[in-house]
Amino acid sequence: MSHLYVVTGSSRGLGEAIVRSLLMPENVVIGIARARNVALDAQAAAAGCTLEQWTLDLADTQVAAGRLSDWLKPQHWERFTTASLINNAALLPRLGPIDDSDLLTMSSAMRVGLEAAMLLSAVFVRDSRAWRAKRRVLNVSSGLGRRAMAGSAAYCAAKAGLDHFSRAVALDEEHLHNPARIASVAPGIIDTDMQVQLRAADPARFPEHANFVQFKSAGMLDSPQAAAGKLLALLARGDFGSNPVADVRDA
């Protein structure tokens, strides 16, 4: 029995924590990120787990999707019992209104946070279509995809796009034999570098700055490992995908 997991944004933060939780002998894990995490290599070797780390910039969406497609196509349909794609990567541009934002950074945020997830999902679903494995796509969303926040338009748009993309794909799949199950899941508030970026923002450009300072001081942030555990528990549930837009706090 072997299980495949493809995780984007795997070198740090929540993505790293997800990969760490998956490093077991029965799993084949592919991490996609701009940098390699050598500590993960060491943990995988000690655990007897197959880990591949692809150093790719997810802003190059066609390259990333092509690499995944090239890996999936020659795999034998009996190799995996389950196969999961976890689209975790995101980019938060400098906080502030769009008329004072860097256009290239905004574009990269949309490519990494939305377009890459869409293209990777497309090739994952397409190139595993003949497999008997249970196939699942977990898109890591955010409460900000459902509640807009000033100073973060690109990030909010990417996460809202993930939510609606997941709804549409779920409709495409629901009547097929062995459909791919998909859900866009808000993981709660996590103590990652993104939270550091939010707390370091200029309050004049980011009206909700004080709220994020309060989240940290009040101990309201989950550790990446705790958040990873909640996401993976949801992914493993028999009813995963029954609600294509979900929140771990409602599970």
Side-chain angles (χ1 to χ4, degrees):
M1 181 182 296
S2 187
H3 307 279
L4 171 66
Y5 294 92
V6 181
V7 184
T8 69
S10 56
S11 65
R12 59 194 180 98
L14 177 60
E16 177 186 4
I18 290 171
V19 171
R20 286 193 182 279
S21 297
L22 294 172
L23 295 181
M24 294 177 279
E26 65 270 24
N27 293 341
V28 174
V29 182
I30 297 173
I32 306 176
R34 285 179 296 176
R36 190 180 193 92
N37 185 321
V38 295
L40 291 178
D41 287 327
Q43 183 179 337
C49 174
T50 300
L51 170 66
E52 295 187 25
Q53 295 195 65
W54 299 351
T55 52
L56 297 173
D57 185 347
L58 285 164
D60 295 326
T61 57
Q62 295 284 344
V63 171
R67 177 75 180 272
L68 181 58
S69 181
D70 289 344
W71 191 93
L72 289 169
K73 284 178 179 177
Q75 302 303 315
H76 193 274
W77 60 269
E78 289 185 324
R79 182 179 181 188
F80 300 111
T81 304
T82 66
S84 301
L85 169 64
I86 303 175
N87 286 307
N88 162 71
L91 193 159
L92 179 67
R94 186 171 72 102
L95 293 154
I98 62 165
D99 60 345
D100 188 25
S101 298
D102 178 75
L103 299 184
L104 289 176
T105 304
M106 287 182 66
S107 178
S108 292
M110 296 303 295
R111 291 199 304 272
V112 170
L114 180 56
E115 185 180 327
M118 293 173 65
L119 269 60
L120 291 171
S121 298
V123 300
F124 176 81
V125 170
R126 181 193 69 199
D127 294 335
S128 65
R129 178 65 71 194
W131 297 7
R132 293 183 181 176
K134 293 180 179 179
R135 297 168 303 130
R136 297 180 172 186
V137 177
L138 192 162
N139 293 320
V140 179
S141 186
S142 169
L144 295 183
R146 301 153 202 183
R147 179 187 69 84
M149 183 173 73
S152 57
Y155 184 82
C156 290
K159 294 304 186 181
L162 273 183
D163 287 354
H164 218 44
F165 171 73
S166 300
R167 291 185 180 101
V169 173
L171 293 173
D172 289 338
E173 292 287 311
E174 65 180 359
H175 299 301
L176 299 179
H177 173 70
N178 190 26
R181 304 297 184 186
I182 186 169
S184 187
V185 183
I189 310 172
I190 311 168
D191 198 2
T192 62
D193 289 344
M194 188 171 291
Q195 286 290 319
V196 174
Q197 186 178 351
L198 290 162
R199 294 194 300 272
D202 179 359
R205 293 173 50 84
F206 180 44
E208 296 203 35
H209 172 267
N211 291 333
F212 287 90
V213 172
Q214 174 64 17
F215 292 156
K216 177 68 170 178
S217 63
M220 297 173 64
L221 305 181
D222 261 353
S223 70
Q225 206 63 42
K230 293 175 184 178
L231 286 170
L232 292 174
L234 183 61
L235 180 65
R237 282 173 45 163
D239 64 348
F240 176 83
S242 59
N243 181 5
V245 176
D247 191 309
V248 294
R249 290 162 289 195
D250 299 331

